[in-house]
Amino acid sequence: MDWDHPGSWLRDEALAALDEVCRTGRVEVPTYEIAANGRTGAQVLDLDGSPLLVTEGIFATDVVEELAARGLLAAAYCLTQPPTVTFWRRLTRDLREHRKPPLVLVRRGAALARAQRGIVERAVAVGCVPASTHDAFAALRDLAAEVESRPRTTPTSLAAAVAGFRQPDATTCGSCCLVVAHLHHSASYAAAVLGDPDVPARLRHEALAVHTATNGLRLAGETQVPWPKRLGTAPWALARHLRLVSGRPGTGYVWVRRGDDFWEQVVAAVAGATPCPSTSARVCSPATWCSCSRPGTTTSWPTSPARAAPCASRAAR
């Protein structure tokens, strides 16, 4: 496989991952092995509260304009150096890592060296700033310092931020639970959401975005049975989102129907410091309430406030 060919990567998936990590602070990304010519697994990238993310790659120019249009781009640089230096560094790296047969690597490096001027010109055309490695790192340090110095509006506590949280519509109760679970489990996600100048609006946005994600054909890289949004959030999608995105890392989640030991399972989960989303719905209709319980607290998002009381009091027992 020619890893320098644009067809060797999935641009839309890369954009989706960048959008998610910038919005939530956490995303699952694939791991690659060039010698194996493909993906070999996956890992979770967590920004841990950092307001900036640095990415690099030969296809970066293909996403610069779209990231800028989405308001996600802080800066873009094209690292420049003499073609001969680039050729030698690439060749020694690829030989050291046994990426391809030596002759293939030499031919590939020579072709890229001839094309380097055009690559730089295209990068500049889409908005990248040409810079040496030293200058680019200096600019990134200055950018990081400037961003860190900006005043941030952060609520004093998560409880204060979600005190007035209500689901945006009649079908997003499960999504609201997932948002709050994610706030508890990811410091970077909480920093991004709670640091927004308009936290209530950001919470509503997050709930709607999660609702769209959980009801689609693919969720966090896995295929699932799609579900009509007007019917709320499917239990299996809620469990999958907890396992892959919003739940405690390394913890498995399953969905269970209400039975004789239903509340015992809820109490056991909450006692173990695990948020436990609970939904109630009539057959073929949107959910009427949803709660996310943690030790000592239960936050509910009702379609109408009166319906929250039975949920909150019983789940907290």
Side-chain angles (χ1 to χ4, degrees):
M1 177 180 289
D2 179 7
W3 287 96
D4 295 313
H5 192 281
S8 66
W9 83 307
L10 302 174
R11 177 181 180 273
D12 291 343
E13 287 193 17
L15 278 170
L18 287 168
D19 186 275
E20 182 175 346
V21 74
C22 288
R23 181 173 57 82
T24 69
R26 187 170 183 264
V27 68
E28 184 179 81
V29 295
T31 55
Y32 291 90
E33 187 173 331
I34 292 181
N37 283 324
R39 298 182 179 184
T40 57
Q43 61 183 349
V44 173
L45 172 63
D46 195 318
L47 300 187
D48 195 26
S50 173
L52 291 173
L53 167 70
V54 178
T55 62
E56 59 85 23
I58 61 174
F59 301 126
T61 52
D62 293 347
V63 297
V64 167
E65 292 179 304
E66 180 63 26
L67 291 175
R70 298 186 187 188
L72 301 177
L73 186 69
Y77 299 96
C78 176
L79 302 184
T80 58
Q81 57 190 359
T84 53
V85 175
T86 303
F87 170 83
W88 180 249
R89 288 180 175 177
R90 179 186 291 116
L91 180 62
T92 55
R93 179 203 62 189
D94 292 349
L95 288 173
R96 182 176 62 252
E97 297 179 2
H98 306 288
R99 293 190 170 192
K100 295 290 180 182
L103 184 58
V104 172
L105 295 177
V106 171
R107 290 175 175 173
R108 167 179 170 268
L112 290 174
R114 291 191 295 269
Q116 181 167 314
R117 175 177 293 183
I119 293 173
V120 174
E121 291 175 350
R122 180 175 181 276
V124 172
V126 299
C128 296
V129 176
S132 67
T133 301
H134 175 78
D135 291 341
F137 272 87
L140 288 174
R141 284 194 295 269
D142 292 342
L143 175 62
E146 190 274 327
V147 171
E148 289 291 348
S149 67
R150 294 175 186 173
R152 300 185 188 182
T153 303
T154 304
T156 56
S157 68
L158 175 59
V162 302
F165 187 21
R166 290 292 181 271
Q167 63 188 75
D169 55 40
T171 64
T172 51
C173 55
S175 304
C176 291
C177 269
L178 294 173
V179 168
V180 173
H182 201 178
L183 289 170
H184 282 296
H185 285 126
S186 173
S188 58
Y189 180 70
V193 174
L194 303 184
D196 195 286
D198 189 346
V199 175
R202 178 63 180 267
L203 288 170
R204 291 192 296 271
H205 170 78
E206 294 298 321
L208 293 171
V210 169
H211 194 203
T212 298
T214 53
N215 288 59
L217 180 63
R218 292 184 64 81
L219 174 60
E222 291 191 1
T223 303
Q224 64 177 5
V225 177
W227 187 254
K229 293 177 69 173
R230 62 186 179 85
L231 298 183
T233 303
W236 52 85
L238 189 145
R240 180 176 285 109
H241 195 279
L242 282 168
R243 177 171 59 84
L244 297 175
V245 181
S246 57
R248 177 187 294 170
T251 302
Y253 293 84
V254 296
W255 65 280
V256 295
R257 301 185 62 180
R258 181 171 179 175
D260 293 338
D261 63 343
F262 175 78
W263 291 110
E264 285 74 11
Q265 293 185 55
V266 172
V267 170
V270 174
T274 300
C276 182
S278 305
T279 62
S280 174
R282 297 184 298 275
V283 176
C284 297
S285 71
T288 55
W289 56 255
C290 191
S291 72
C292 186
S293 307
R294 283 181 66 86
T297 63
T298 301
T299 306
S300 301
W301 301 272
T303 301
S304 60
R307 292 184 178 179
C311 162
S313 62
R314 190 167 187 180
R317 292 176 185 172

